[in-house]
Amino acid sequence: MGKRKRAAASTDPADVIREYMEKEKKRSQRGKKIALLLLAVILVGCGGYWLYDQVIRPANEYAQAESFLQEGKLQEAYDLYSGLNGYQDSTSKMKEIEHQLQSGDLQGAQPGDVITFGSYKQDKGGTTKKEIQWVVLDQEGSRLLLVSRYALNCHPYHSSYTPVTWEDCELRRWLNEDFLNEAFDEEQKKQIVPVDLTNCDNPEFGTDGGEDTQDMVFILDVEEVERYFPTETSREVENTVYAMHQGAYLGSYNSNTSWWLRLPGESGDHTAFISSGGRLNLMGLQVDDGCGGVRPALWIDTEK
């Protein structure tokens, strides 16, 4: 049998170019098929990940959190809910658990204990709220008197240098409006007890303390400080990072701050305070001084 002879390659430039173009077209078509196949694989992979991350994982973690909640494992349930970024009703479940955890701490609290209640900005930039730590000062049945463990902010006693009493000062308005609304949710506000306050005259200078008031949030007066903080050391207090960066006073020899009292100073345009070293200063600072630390105080009812 004779061998089939291979056709001689054309030397015509047009044929050479045409053959080359046909080969490149075939290569291009193969490349497109491969690219489309790879794209399909990628899309399937991404779709599978999205399905897991957005549907399967949250559903599984939510179900596990619900199981923990039914078993009474509140902290474990809270940790799972907090990672769900608002999935279903996870945010409201977190708030419910927060109240349960806080209620348990509050009901067993005794004078001298440190507890948490509410939340307030405490980082440098004021972008992150953290639970407020409170020192329990007194107990009357189900009611507790609390004062913040740290100076939470700095704020003038009043906005201008003029004689003013607690009744009319800017700090009172700020505590009972701005701070109250920012630090506590509606359920926590129901636990805060409005109290009738006696606003005493300055015991050394006789400066008029003004009319008595009723407040949800207040600051301590001299009698309360002497009763609950009998020594200078016990009166020393540090700023939160937020208060420090807001301009709160810092002591020369320590990191403590001064803090306002609900008491006029040597005159109506001054207000008494506790120094960074824990000393009671009845002469006072000018009411418009913006560096005074604020330690909010309040009464709460643990059975509400």
Side-chain angles (χ1 to χ4, degrees), residues 13-68:
D15 292 339
V16 172
I17 293 174
R18 189 179 303 111
E19 183 180 357
Y20 173 78
M21 294 297 292
E22 288 177 356
K23 290 180 179 180
E24 287 300 309
K25 184 178 179 180
K26 291 179 180 179
R27 290 196 189 99
S28 177
Q29 289 175 342
R30 286 197 299 270
K32 286 180 179 179
K33 289 180 180 179
I34 294 172
L36 288 173
L37 180 61
L38 290 175
L39 179 61
V41 171
I42 291 171
L43 289 175
V44 169
C46 290
Y49 175 78
W50 181 91
L51 181 66
Y52 171 78
D53 188 62
Q54 300 297 317
V55 179
I56 298 174
R57 182 190 61 80
N60 289 340
E61 292 187 0
Y62 182 87
Q64 183 62 63
E66 291 286 285
S67 178
F68 281 146

Side-chain angles (χ1 to χ4, degrees), residues 31-268:
K32 286 180 179 179
K33 289 180 180 179
I34 294 172
L36 288 173
L37 180 61
L38 290 175
L39 179 61
V41 171
I42 291 171
L43 289 175
V44 169
C46 290
Y49 175 78
W50 181 91
L51 181 66
Y52 171 78
D53 188 62
Q54 300 297 317
V55 179
I56 298 174
R57 182 190 61 80
N60 289 340
E61 292 187 0
Y62 182 87
Q64 183 62 63
E66 291 286 285
S67 178
F68 281 146
L69 192 59
Q70 292 177 4
E71 296 171 9
K73 298 178 179 179
L74 299 183
Q75 190 60 57
E76 290 87 343
Y78 184 89
D79 291 341
L80 282 175
Y81 285 131
S82 64
L84 290 175
N85 299 319
Y87 178 79
Q88 293 194 18
D89 59 349
S90 58
T91 301
S92 61
K93 290 290 181 68
M94 287 171 61
K95 288 186 176 296
E96 292 175 9
I97 293 174
E98 287 174 359
H99 289 307
Q100 291 183 57
L101 291 172
Q102 288 184 345
S103 295
D105 291 339
L106 297 178
Q107 290 177 358
Q110 300 289 329
D113 290 348
V114 176
I115 63 174
T116 60
F117 182 69
S119 59
Y120 190 68
K121 49 197 174 189
Q122 297 183 45
D123 62 320
K124 179 179 178 180
T127 57
T128 303
K129 294 171 68 174
K130 294 183 179 180
E131 291 183 327
I132 302 172
Q133 294 187 30
W134 305 87
V135 179
V136 180
L137 298 181
D138 207 344
Q139 182 179 25
E140 295 180 0
S142 62
R143 296 184 175 187
L144 301 174
L145 173 60
L146 312 178
V147 67
S148 65
R149 184 179 186 182
Y150 303 104
L152 298 180
N153 206 339
C154 60
H155 197 284
Y157 195 79
H158 197 55
S159 55
S160 60
Y161 182 50
T162 186
V164 67
T165 62
W166 171 252
E167 179 186 17
D168 298 317
C169 75
E170 173 64 19
L171 181 56
R172 179 184 179 223
R173 184 210 64 77
W174 180 80
L175 284 169
N176 285 277
E177 294 179 15
D178 298 2
F179 175 77
L180 178 69
N181 291 324
E182 184 171 356
F184 308 105
D185 61 29
E186 293 306 314
E187 291 301 314
Q188 291 166 337
K189 289 179 186 177
K190 294 177 183 178
Q191 293 183 272
I192 302 175
V193 182
V195 291
D196 295 322
L197 300 176
T198 300
N199 298 308
C200 303
D201 298 344
N202 187 299
E204 182 174 335
F205 298 97
T207 314
D208 182 22
E211 298 296 321
D212 295 344
T213 57
Q214 185 180 80
D215 296 288
M216 300 273 282
V217 189
F218 52 95
I219 54 176
L220 302 180
D221 67 8
V222 63
E223 294 180 359
E224 291 165 328
V225 166
E226 291 178 334
R227 184 188 319 153
Y228 300 118
F229 300 99
T231 65
E232 291 184 356
T233 300
S234 66
R235 299 169 188 165
E236 294 180 355
V237 65
E238 295 181 353
N239 292 303
T240 60
V241 174
Y242 176 76
M244 181 175 66
H245 283 275
Q246 289 298 107
Y249 178 79
L250 285 176
S252 301
Y253 304 104
N254 53 40
S255 58
N256 299 332
T257 190
S258 59
W259 44 287
W260 292 115
L261 297 181
R262 196 179 77 252
L263 183 78
E266 61 176 340
S267 58

